[in-house]
Amino acid sequence: MSTSPDALPSSAPATTPVPVEGAPRLRVAPSPTGDPHVGTAYMALFNLAYARQQGGQFLLRIEDTDRARFNASSEQQLYDTLSWLGLTWDEGPDVGGPFAPYRQSERLDTYRPYVERLLADGHAYHCWCSSERLAEMRDKQQKLKQPTGYDRLCHGKTQEERAQLPGYSETPVVRMFIPEDAPIVFDDVIRGKVTAPRPDDQVILKADGFPTYHLAVVVDDHEMGVTHVVRGEEWISSTPKHVLLYQWLGLTPPAFAHMPLLRNTDKSKISKRKNPAARLTWFQEQGYLPEALVNFLALLAYPPMTAEDGSDREKFTFAEFSEHFAWSKVNPVGPIFDLKKLDWLNGLYLRDLELGDFTSRLLPFLEREGVLSGNPTLGELGRLKDVAELIQTRIALLSEAPALVKPFYVADGDLVIDEDARAQLKENAGEVLDAAITALEGIDKGTGSLPPNDGDFKAATIEARLREAIVEGLGIKPRLAFGPLRTAVSGARISPPLFESMEILGKDSTLARLRRLRAEI
Ligand code: GLU
């Protein structure tokens, strides 16, 4: 591989990693709470880029300790969307690995001894306060404009002592006992020294026996040998708690890198409730190419590559990104999620696809819209390649293809003519259609309509004859001359190039469509 930075784009897939002794281990740790969030892919991408560059490993851990928000189909969707993006993991619940299980709900026994140890050392304590009491306490603190946080009513009390007091609940939680001088400054790989607010006596074990995120993340990152914790900026305020847990347990903390949050154009945090583009499945539905989305996600927090002539090059592959990746180049300022930029990138990627590849990527969209069945015939596929070539430069999203492709797969009599296309037909439409019909009837169609087209019914001839008949013959400007023909052939105002479309449809079909519209007006 070239050693010069920003070498030629490589379209080669990331090669299977060869683990390097002592190499970093990174992870993405999504919670399966619904449709996978675009932030999960963004996080996975930066983790993976570094892991691959360093010959390290990348693992996927499912953080499903929040049983109230658990969603059963979410995990599979995570696998599907991350795989679709090519952000694949070396260890995980589905592929296994040396530190299995990789699902936190299956690791409850792992967390117990850590809790016991923290309790025994006085770093943690049981808390029997009922949720009602905690809510009341919070309300009061808010009203008095005091800092909110647990008031330590249970600290230092036995269960019996605590049971005498109001707001008692049978099943306790376990809380961290945060010392006055808790360290609140930590080193961040992207941001340097970061100061976070002083933590509250955080719950680490819930009444249902599940650990909270804070305990589980520390225990698992330690047990799984994670060397770099790369996660969203929203976790900065939690990091001092994690640092304390590492300290108390006598463990070496990993390096922390907090990525800037993705923001809407109004600077608000991207949420699935407010923005459909927060859902990874949305990008699939819209027909974005995974390679374009990966490129876009990288650019959100990373500068463009430098082209040979020194200018910025925004289009780059994952392999390039990973090869040249440096934490120092990550921009810590919250990136704006600008879909226009993604549309632009997607268009670039679509146009660069090899025709066969482009054609096969259209298939699921054509099937979804009922243009083709899931099992198209060879004839249908042959025609599709011809049509695909006409539209490849004309769409920004794969989901725009079905409307353009459909006219090529309906019987002439079944073609739906859009109202807006019909409405813009001028008075001279009949005259134009008549002239076109006569002109095209005169072209030799060869031995048959199936390829290879051995007659003269080719785009260039068609165009020449139609120009002769309509533009020159009738004296109608080209801009107005072909509208009625486009409407007749495609049923729409916007369609693939007219003469090429006629060639693909063949002489019989083209004439049948022209005659049909002629009869209807
Ligand atoms: N489960 C957390 C999340 O979904 C993981 C945060 C972390 O990476 O530590 O964001």
Side-chain angles (χ1 to χ4, degrees):
M1 197 169 281
S2 163
T3 49
S4 74
D6 311 317
L8 285 178
S10 144
S11 56
T15 42
T16 323
V18 184
V20 174
E21 189 76 39
R25 289 173 57 79
L26 293 95
R27 85 309 191 268
V28 70
S31 297
T33 55
D35 282 6
H37 195 282
V38 66
T40 298
Y42 164 67
M43 240 29 93
L45 170 63
F46 281 78
N47 274 283
L48 183 65
Y50 185 66
R52 289 289 172 265
Q53 181 192 62
Q54 299 287 314
Q57 286 97 43
F58 173 57
L59 43 132
L60 170 64
R61 183 172 68 228
I62 296 290
E63 301 209 326
D64 56 351
T65 57
D66 187 347
R67 303 315 280 176
R69 294 180 61 213
F70 177 78
N71 175 309
S73 52
S74 183
E75 192 179 307
Q76 188 59 47
Q77 281 184 324
L78 271 163
Y79 299 154
D80 294 345
T81 47
L82 291 180
S83 305
W84 171 68
L85 289 167
L87 303 174
T88 48
W89 47 100
D90 309 314
E91 299 167 27
D94 55 337
V95 292
F99 301 98
Y102 291 89
R103 216 178 262 119
Q104 290 185 328
S105 60
E106 293 167 12
R107 301 173 60 79
L108 299 186
D109 291 343
T110 307
Y111 310 117
R112 276 266 153 214
Y114 289 92
V115 178
E116 296 307 333
R117 162 115 186 252
L118 292 168
L119 283 167
D121 293 348
H123 291 307
Y125 60 97
H126 285 112
C127 169
W128 293 270
C129 287
S130 63
S131 39
E132 293 76 19
R133 173 173 193 275
L134 294 173
E136 259 169 48
M137 180 193 70
R138 235 187 333 267
D139 277 356
K140 213 186 277 166
Q141 288 168 335
Q142 270 160 1
K143 278 203 194 93
L144 296 172
K145 303 240 178 334
Q146 289 171 344
T148 52
Y150 182 57
D151 62 4
R152 294 190 168 161
L153 179 68
C154 297
H155 184 246
K157 293 195 174 60
T158 63
Q159 182 167 10
E160 292 70 33
E161 289 164 349
R162 176 59 182 90
Q164 310 301 315
L165 304 173
Y168 170 81
S169 137
E170 238 354 274
T171 38
V173 302
V174 175
R175 289 184 182 274
M176 292 170 75
F177 184 68
I178 305 282
E180 273 314 310
D181 59 350
I184 51 168
V185 181
F186 65 91
D187 286 315
D188 187 286
V189 176
I190 299 170
R191 296 156 194 270
K193 287 245 176 291
V194 172
T195 308
R198 189 183 171 276
D200 178 22
D201 279 4
Q202 177 67 51
V203 174
I204 51 173
L205 192 72
K206 293 181 275 187
D208 63 5
F210 276 72
T212 58
Y213 159 70
H214 304 284
L215 178 73
V217 77
V218 166
V219 171
D220 286 343
D221 283 338
H222 163 68
E223 296 241 342
M224 296 178 178
V226 170
T227 56
H228 294 67
V229 165
V230 180
R231 60 185 169 196
E233 180 183 1
E234 71 268 36
W235 299 107
I236 286 181
S237 60
S238 301
T239 306
K241 302 173 198 174
H242 304 173
V243 170
L244 266 179
L245 289 170
Y246 280 104
Q247 216 175 67
W248 291 341
L249 294 164
L251 310 173
T252 313
F256 292 104
H258 290 93
M259 294 290 299
L261 272 190
L262 306 181
R263 296 185 187 279
N264 292 306
T265 29
D266 68 357
K267 302 268 166 78
S268 58
K269 180 179 163 185
I270 295 224
S271 88
K272 286 193 278 183
R273 260 179 309 118
K274 292 209 212 108
N275 188 344
R279 293 186 299 113
L280 275 178
T281 48
W282 181 83
F283 296 91
Q284 290 180 306
E285 290 156 13
Q286 294 297 307
Y288 288 103
L289 297 180
E291 49 274 58
L293 181 53
V294 163
N295 191 158
F296 173 70
L297 292 175
L299 281 174
L300 287 174
Y302 206 81
M305 303 270 157
T306 309
E308 302 245 315
D309 65 0
S311 64
D312 283 350
R313 176 162 63 83
E314 302 208 272
K315 184 169 180 275
F316 51 81
T317 63
F318 172 79
E320 288 176 279
F321 177 54
S322 168
E323 185 183 348
H324 304 300
F325 182 77
W327 290 113
S328 58
K329 289 198 209 159
V330 175
N331 181 358
V333 179
I336 302 289
F337 204 76
D338 179 8
L339 286 175
K340 282 203 208 80
K341 175 81 164 267
L342 175 58
D343 288 350
W344 168 76
L345 263 179
N346 204 57
L348 293 187
Y349 275 89
L350 278 177
R351 283 185 255 310
D352 282 355
L353 289 179
E354 187 266 313
L355 181 60
D357 190 3
F358 174 67
T359 308
S360 40
R361 302 218 204 190
L362 292 177
L363 286 172
F365 291 85
L366 299 175
E367 188 186 346
R368 186 176 80 185
E369 297 303 320
V371 175
L372 281 178
S373 77
N375 193 9
T377 64
L378 277 181
E380 287 172 332
L381 286 176
R383 170 168 281 196
L384 183 57
K385 222 165 167 178
D386 293 339
V387 177
E389 195 171 0
L390 297 187
I391 67 169
Q392 188 166 10
T393 55
R394 287 180 168 73
I395 60 173
L397 297 174
L398 291 172
S399 59
E400 292 165 16
L404 295 173
V405 174
K406 187 164 185 185
F408 295 91
Y409 291 93
V410 290
D412 302 323
D414 295 341
L415 180 75
V416 177
I417 300 194
D418 296 343
E419 274 320 309
D420 66 337
R422 212 184 275 276
Q424 56 128 37
L425 291 174
K426 302 272 170 338
E427 263 170 34
N428 62 10
E431 198 187 354
V432 169
L433 286 164
D434 282 335
I437 290 165
T438 312
L440 298 184
E441 275 171 345
I443 303 179
D444 171 26
K445 74 169 181 178
T447 48
S449 59
L450 285 177
N453 178 346
D454 60 353
D456 294 332
F457 204 76
K458 304 266 173 59
T461 314
I462 295 170
E463 177 172 3
R465 298 290 177 83
L466 290 176
R467 279 186 189 281
E468 201 175 73
I470 304 169
V471 181
E472 286 152 35
L474 300 177
I476 299 176
K477 290 202 178 71
R479 199 168 50 81
L480 302 171
F482 303 120
L485 310 186
R486 185 182 298 281
T487 300
V489 164
S490 69
R493 290 179 62 178
I494 300 189
S495 74
L498 179 63
F499 312 117
E500 284 79 359
S501 297
M502 288 178 162
E503 176 180 336
I504 292 172
L505 283 169
K507 180 174 173 180
D508 295 345
S509 201
T510 301
L511 282 172
R513 291 180 185 203
L514 295 176
R515 289 188 187 117
R516 178 190 147 197
L517 184 64
R518 178 67 190 96
E520 282 177 12
I521 59 177

